[in-house]
Amino acid sequence: MSILEIAPLVRGAYLAARNVPVILSPSDEAELDLSVESVDQLAGAFPVELPDTVAVTVAGERHAFRAHTVGAVSPLPHGKDAEASAAEPRSRVVAGKVALVTGGAQGFGAEIVRGLVASGAFVYIADLNADGAAKLADELGPHTAALTVNVADEESVAAMTGQIAATTGGLDLVVSNAGIVRAGSVLEQDASAFRLTTDINYVAFFLVTKHLGGLMAAQRRTAPTWTTDIVQINSKSGLVGSNKNGAYAGSKFGGIGLVQSFALELVEHGIKVNAICPGNFLDGPLWSDPDRGLFVQYLRSGKVPGATTIEEVRRFYEAKVPLNRGTYGSDVMRALYYLVEQEYETGQALPVTGGQVMLSS
C-alpha cells in the first residue's frame, strides 16, 4: 500500500481527534499499533483519542507516523459557535495549517508564501523554478518546503502529491497561483504561445485540483467535519476581456468556469473552491521584468496608444484604477484569509482590483 493511500487517512484521524491542523511525519516508534487488511478497513479503525505516534499495518505493510503542530494552535470556532464580532485577526484562520502555493518562488506567489508563513502556516513552495523555491524556503525557515513541479504535466503533479503525503500527510489549503502571460494580437499571435498560456493557466488548474483535491478528499474520509480550501489566483482579466491579450483572458475566464464546476463537485468532500481576481501587480516581475515583463510586452505590441516609454505604460494602467495604484500582495492576502475563514461561500470569484472591475448583476 502506498503512502499516498494511507497517510491522508491517518492525518484525517488526527484532525478529527484533536480538531487542530497537524503535520504527519514518519516516525521510528509508535505508541499505538493498528493492523487491518485493507485501506477501507483502516478508515474505521482509529480510536477516538490518538497518541502522538501511531503505526498502521495494511495488508502486512507497516507505516509509523508522528503528529505534531506548527507552533501553538487552538481550535477555531466554526458554524454557529463563530461570532460575527470576533476580534481575532483574520490571519489566524491559517495558523498551523498545511498550505501549498504553486508558482510560489516569485511575484504574487512569493508574496502569498510570505504572508502564510508569517501567519503561522506550514507552506510548500511549488515551482518549476527549483532554485528560486529553494532560496525562498531557506530564507523563510523550517516551516516551508520547496517542491519542484511542472504544473502543466500530470506526472509531475502526481509525483508532487506523493511527496506531500510522505512529508505532512495531507493539506488544508491549496493556492493555485502559477500563471503566465503571452500578450499579442489574435491576428498575429503564434498558436504555440496561445496553447502554452492555456496549458499553464487553465489545464494546470485542472491537474492541481485533480491530484491535490484527491489528497484532501481522502483525508476527509476520517475527518468528516474538516473543511479544506482550493483557491485559484485568477485575474481581473477573468471578469472582463483584455485587448490584445486574448490568450490570457480566455484562460482566466475558463478558470472561473472550472472554479464554479469544481466547487459543485467537491463540496461533498468538504473542499471549498474559490477564485481571487486581482488587479495588476505592477511592482512584480510579471509586469516589471525588464526583458519579458508586461510593460515591455505592451510597449512593443502597441497596446497602449501613443506610449513611447515604460513609465507611460505604467501610468496608463494606474490611471484605470479608482484607487490609483496597482494591487499589492497584502490586498490578495486579505482576500485569501476571508475565503478560508468564510464557511458559507464556494464557487465565487472575488475581485481585488481597487475598483477597476466592479461586479454587477
Side-chain angles (χ1 to χ4, degrees):
M1 296 295 172
S2 73
I3 194 72
L4 184 57
E5 294 177 281
I6 295 171
L9 296 179
V10 180
R11 183 172 191 257
Y14 276 103
L15 296 176
R18 301 187 177 183
N19 196 32
V20 295
V22 299
I23 287 178
L24 201 67
S25 303
S27 176
D28 294 326
E29 57 185 29
E31 300 165 76
L32 173 68
D33 273 278
L34 300 173
S35 182
V36 295
E37 292 301 316
S38 69
V39 171
D40 288 339
Q41 291 176 349
L42 180 62
F46 296 98
V48 174
E49 295 185 6
L50 289 171
D52 290 340
T53 56
V54 62
V56 296
T57 301
V58 181
E61 185 172 330
R62 187 176 186 271
H63 297 273
F65 304 94
R66 179 174 68 90
H68 58 98
T69 61
V70 178
V73 295
S74 57
L76 287 170
H78 60 87
K80 294 181 179 179
D81 295 328
E83 296 182 11
S85 60
E88 291 286 349
R90 178 160 282 159
S91 62
R92 179 175 175 251
V93 298
V94 299
K97 291 190 174 183
V98 178
L100 176 140
V101 181
T102 67
Q106 60 277 313
F108 250 144
E111 293 280 344
I112 294 168
V113 169
R114 292 179 190 279
L116 289 172
V117 171
S119 300
F122 179 96
V123 185
Y124 288 105
I125 307 167
D127 205 298
L128 189 60
N129 177 5
D131 291 341
K135 181 178 179 181
L136 185 58
D138 287 343
E139 174 192 336
L140 295 179
H143 294 161
T144 61
L147 296 173
T148 304
V149 64
N150 177 355
V151 292
D153 179 82
E154 184 159 15
E155 288 187 5
S156 182
V157 175
M160 175 183 70
T161 305
Q163 286 180 272
I164 293 165
T167 306
T168 55
L171 282 169
D172 303 299
L173 169 64
V174 172
V175 181
S176 182
N177 165 78
I180 63 169
V181 178
R182 293 293 182 265
S185 165
V186 66
L187 302 179
E188 300 172 356
Q189 188 171 50
D190 291 337
S192 60
F194 185 92
R195 291 192 183 97
L196 178 63
T197 303
T198 303
D199 283 346
I200 300 298
N201 296 350
Y202 179 76
V203 176
F205 179 53
F206 157 74
L207 295 175
V208 166
T209 301
K210 174 183 177 179
H211 290 276
L212 298 185
L215 187 63
M216 290 170 158
Q219 186 177 268
R220 176 81 169 187
R221 292 178 61 191
T222 47
T225 64
W226 193 261
T227 301
T228 53
D229 289 271
I230 296 174
V231 178
Q232 186 202 41
I233 303 300
N234 196 278
S235 170
K236 68 176 180 58
S237 294
L239 301 172
V240 294
S242 183
N243 182 33
K244 294 186 179 179
N245 200 14
Y248 182 74
S251 67
K252 292 299 186 178
F253 266 78
I256 291 176
L258 294 181
V259 164
Q260 293 180 0
S261 301
F262 295 162
L264 292 172
E265 178 180 353
L266 297 181
V267 67
E268 69 176 278
H269 301 291
I271 304 170
K272 294 185 284 129
V273 185
N274 290 288
I276 296 172
C277 299
N280 299 323
F281 188 36
L282 300 180
D283 295 318
L286 180 66
W287 282 83
S288 297
D289 184 277
D291 298 317
R292 302 189 68 179
L294 290 183
F295 289 137
V296 172
Q297 289 190 51
Y298 290 170
L299 181 63
R300 292 171 180 169
S301 68
K303 184 172 179 178
V304 179
T308 59
T309 67
I310 286 176
E311 185 58 33
E312 288 175 346
V313 176
R314 183 185 182 106
R315 283 302 307 147
F316 176 84
Y317 282 97
E318 288 176 338
K320 287 176 173 288
V321 183
L323 289 177
N324 201 38
R325 66 168 173 83
T327 305
Y328 299 155
S330 57
D331 301 320
V332 173
M333 289 308 300
R334 293 185 187 99
L336 180 60
Y337 295 139
Y338 164 76
L339 289 174
V340 174
E341 179 187 49
Q342 176 57 272
E343 295 181 344
Y344 196 58
E345 207 64 82
T346 192
Q348 303 302 315
L350 180 63
V352 183
T353 68
Q356 185 175 357
V357 175
M358 300 181 184
L359 296 184
S360 65
S361 57

